[in-house]
Amino acid sequence: MNPQVLPAVLLVLSAVQAFQYQELVRYVDEHKEEYVETLRNWVAVESDSSNVQKRPDLHHMMGMVAQKLQLMGGTVKLVDIGEQELPDGQSLPLPQVVTVQFGRDPSKQTVCVYGHVDVQPAKLEDGWATDPFNLTDLNGNLYGRGASDNKAPVLAWIHAVEAYLALNMELPVNVKLVIEGMEETGSNGLDAMIMAQRDTFFSDVDYIVISDCGWLSRRPALTYGTRGNCYFFAEVEGPKQDLHSGVYGGTVIEPMTDLIGILDSLISPSGKILIPGIREAVAPLSDEEWKRYQDIEFDMDHYKNKTGVHQLMYNNKVDLLAHMWRYPTVSIHGIEGAFSDPGTKTVIPAKVTAKFSIRQVPDMDPAMVRKQVTEHLHSVFAKRKSPNKLKVTMVIGAKPWLSDTQNPLFEAGKAAVKRVFNMDPDLIREGGTIPIAKTFQDVTQKSIIMMPIGGFDDGLHSQNEKISRYNYIEGTKLFIAFLNEVSQIRKARV
Ligand SMILES: *[C@@H]1O[C@H](CO)[C@@H](O)[C@H](O)[C@H]1NC(C)=O
Ligand SMILES: *[C@@H]1O[C@H](CO)[C@@H](O)[C@H](O)[C@H]1NC(C)=O
Ligand SMILES: [Zn+2]
């Protein structure tokens, strides 16, 4: 082609795209009430994956997802992922994973979106202002369990594809979706399913997108890292049964005292992890990272207000963000076997089990963390010369995920944000864990981007979870724009 005509051709091309984008946006705006109604129907299903009593609802939820995608003309599969072992030895079928494919043009890129439609438990009595399973529209916010995590984002992806199809516009890329129903309890069975389908469903996937997180402020964000998690049980067992503290107190060495003693050796009051080797494994903070954190929009006062504390562990933004995202931390969650009812029972518990976790960051290795924690606790325990028995087990070992923000996928994400919101996104990390990101990365070896549409104050896992209408609807437009931007990335294989 004559180089002189190239700019003209590009101009025409981009004019055509701009026109199409406007049409798609109009379609979304015209259908937003329908989108809210679909979200209402989805939120009404109590797809709580942690409660085995709700398993029928969860199966029903997966069926609803499959049906919606079938009606859109996608190639849908409900994939069996086996059974869940329950603590009492029984087993229960896991909810099937829904996979779907829209378009299979080998000359186009293929984007695979991951999402989940199971939710955390919720009860009105927990302190919800409205019925958590009856979507409530208040001041531009849609309140309901799972609204932001992750039902609305999954629907926004579906609606983005649906808009192209409804307008008879060719999808700019092939789109695949993988939607599961066990995310909130650790994505049981999903790793194996991804591994098993590596050379089939995932073989032609170029990029993976996850929208299972939120913005940090009112500014849209792209997420390039998550922390992992190593979850531990530390059990101290002593007398053969619970004892009366008046009768036996002072004569036996109490398991609870031992346990509290060793727990206090995990982290200092100022947040310094005391387990040898943990801090040494952490990748150092680079100048570039420091600079990036400095530029991020983040309101410390709002954060204090949101958490309801007047003093945080760090009093400057960079340290706080760094410790939220890229340094490990220890959290002590609870003690099983402890007397925790109201009142004053004078008991010496015979066996107590502490639960704590350490959020993982690069370059920590869960297998090494297991060893470090186990050895540390046993060594501290040994110094107590207690006759009680200590048992330390690591029950979850989820790795962190970190992406390179210079890659074309992030450029496409930035361009899409710019188009829809007319601003640059913040590049952020997540303190939480999305273990499946690491699995996708390891198994498919493809680039992953996290493109959240949830608001910073959506209250995931908390009371009064919500997503704003604005984020839900503009988020749908973001996904529409993103698919178009990805199609502009030169296909590496060609
Ligand atoms: C949901 O809430 C609305 C408004 O309070 C009420 O009219 C409706 O009956 C509720 N629906 C269900 C299924 O509880
Ligand atoms: C803190 O939050 C409360 C509501 O929880 C609000 O009324 C108050 O204005 C907030 N204060 C600041 C400084 O943001
Ligand atoms: Zn989620």
Side-chain angles (χ1 to χ4, degrees):
M1 191 185 288
N2 177 340
Q4 259 97 61
V5 301
L6 199 56
V9 170
L10 286 177
L11 204 67
V12 172
L13 274 177
S14 64
V16 168
Q17 274 153 18
F19 172 66
Q20 286 195 321
Y21 176 67
Q22 289 313 325
E23 235 183 285
L24 287 156
V25 160
R26 196 175 322 125
Y27 182 88
V28 170
D29 284 331
E30 283 167 6
H31 290 78
K32 57 186 172 200
E33 292 313 318
E34 228 169 87
Y35 297 164
V36 171
E37 284 317 301
T38 312
L39 180 60
R40 185 184 308 287
N41 294 336
W42 281 28
V43 164
V45 183
E46 199 172 337
S47 50
D48 172 0
S49 55
S50 69
N51 182 349
V52 295
Q53 310 292 334
K54 298 287 172 193
R55 195 50 56 88
D57 303 67
L58 194 48
H59 292 308
H60 177 59
M61 187 71 235
M62 303 320 294
M64 275 170 79
V65 174
Q67 190 187 23
K68 166 103 192 138
L69 295 166
Q70 239 139 23
L71 287 173
M72 285 164 60
T75 310
V76 181
K77 290 211 176 84
L78 276 158
V79 184
D80 273 320
I81 52 166
E83 308 230 304
Q84 179 183 7
E85 299 283 334
L86 301 179
D88 65 4
Q90 307 235 22
S91 60
L92 195 67
L94 288 164
Q96 290 169 307
V97 171
V98 179
T99 66
V100 63
Q101 169 153 17
F102 292 99
R104 45 177 84 234
D105 180 343
S107 71
K108 290 181 185 167
Q109 318 251 17
T110 299
V111 169
C112 177
V113 177
Y114 159 85
H116 68 91
V117 290
D118 61 315
V119 299
Q120 287 275 322
K123 290 205 257 346
L124 193 57
E125 309 87 88
D126 295 343
W128 281 69
T130 59
D131 175 356
F133 298 100
N134 185 356
L135 194 76
T136 307
D137 198 340
L138 277 177
N139 305 322
N141 288 322
L142 303 166
Y143 291 90
R145 173 55 88 222
S148 184
D149 183 13
N150 184 226
K151 288 177 174 175
V154 168
L155 277 171
W157 273 111
I158 293 175
H159 294 145
V161 172
E162 197 177 45
Y164 278 101
L165 301 178
L167 292 170
N168 280 319
M169 284 179 194
E170 208 180 312
L171 278 170
V173 293
N174 305 314
V175 179
K176 292 183 165 185
L177 305 175
V178 178
I179 299 165
E180 68 151 327
M182 287 301 286
E183 196 275 344
E184 300 294 1
T185 50
S187 294
N188 317 34
L190 189 63
D191 276 8
M193 178 262 176
I194 295 170
M195 229 92 82
Q197 303 222 11
R198 186 184 66 179
D199 300 324
T200 51
F201 185 81
F202 294 102
S203 66
D204 60 352
V205 168
D206 298 294
Y207 302 109
I208 288 160
V209 192
I210 300 176
S211 304
D212 190 17
C213 41
W215 299 351
L216 188 66
S217 65
R218 294 190 196 282
R219 182 182 282 275
L222 299 175
T223 309
Y224 66 95
T226 57
R227 290 195 291 191
N229 198 9
C230 287
Y231 202 111
F232 288 89
F233 288 171
E235 175 194 292
V236 179
E237 189 173 8
K240 67 176 183 184
Q241 65 201 35
D242 287 358
L243 300 173
H244 186 309
S245 70
V247 178
Y248 299 99
T251 65
V252 296
I253 293 159
E254 302 188 14
M256 185 72 99
T257 313
D258 281 342
L259 187 64
I260 302 291
I262 64 170
L263 286 180
D264 196 38
S265 75
L266 295 173
I267 186 163
S268 81
S270 59
K272 192 170 139 186
I273 296 182
L274 305 173
I275 306 154
I278 298 269
R279 280 179 301 136
E280 290 74 4
V282 176
L285 182 77
S286 68
D287 291 348
E288 195 198 329
E289 250 183 303
W290 194 92
K291 171 80 179 57
R292 179 180 285 170
Y293 289 6
Q294 192 67 38
D295 292 343
I296 285 174
E297 193 170 312
F298 181 75
D299 183 343
M300 300 265 296
D301 287 330
H302 183 275
Y303 191 79
K304 281 188 196 167
N305 197 351
K306 180 165 136 181
T307 49
V309 300
H310 58 84
Q311 184 197 328
L312 295 163
M313 194 73 91
Y314 305 94
N315 57 19
N316 70 82
K317 179 171 81 173
V318 171
D319 275 334
L320 198 73
L321 290 177
H323 283 86
M324 193 189 296
W325 295 338
R326 57 102 59 229
Y327 286 116
T329 190
V330 173
S331 299
I332 300 172
H333 307 295
I335 298 180
E336 247 175 62
F339 167 58
S340 64
D341 291 339
T344 53
K345 187 178 176 191
T346 50
V347 65
I348 299 172
K351 183 169 100 176
V352 282
T353 308
K355 303 178 218 195
F356 63 93
S357 68
I358 303 180
R359 291 286 166 177
Q360 305 288 291
V361 299
D363 300 323
M364 293 164 75
D365 168 25
M368 184 55 82
V369 171
R370 179 206 301 258
K371 188 168 178 288
Q372 287 162 336
V373 169
T374 307
E375 286 179 1
H376 170 70
L377 287 180
H378 277 288
S379 122
V380 174
F381 188 72
K383 293 201 185 92
R384 300 181 69 88
K385 305 202 187 318
S386 168
N388 296 328
K389 281 195 290 293
L390 170 69
K391 197 167 98 193
V392 180
T393 43
M394 187 173 90
V395 291
I396 298 174
K399 290 177 183 167
W401 164 76
L402 191 63
S403 175
D404 166 18
T405 56
Q406 303 297 321
N407 78 40
L409 194 56
F410 276 83
E411 293 307 320
K414 288 179 208 167
V417 168
K418 186 97 190 164
R419 172 163 234 156
V420 178
F421 298 98
N422 198 26
M423 60 174 90
D424 295 318
D426 273 334
L427 292 175
I428 65 171
R429 284 163 75 160
E430 266 290 311
T433 306
I434 306 180
I436 211 62
K438 183 71 182 157
T439 304
F440 276 124
Q441 190 168 51
D442 291 349
V443 175
T444 68
Q445 307 276 311
K446 300 299 177 190
S447 301
I448 302 174
I449 189 170
M450 291 198 191
M451 184 175 271
I453 61 167
F456 68 100
D457 55 354
D458 280 0
L460 312 186
H461 296 201
S462 185
Q463 294 90 346
N464 302 318
E465 177 181 349
K466 59 93 176 153
I467 188 159
S468 69
R469 278 177 165 260
Y470 176 80
N471 283 54
Y472 184 27
I473 303 305
E474 299 309 298
T476 306
K477 297 174 190 171
L478 176 67
F479 296 157
I480 286 173
F482 178 69
L483 293 178
N484 184 61
E485 292 298 337
V486 172
S487 73
Q488 314 290 305
I489 303 174
R490 199 172 53 84
K491 199 161 177 171
R493 275 190 267 130
V494 179

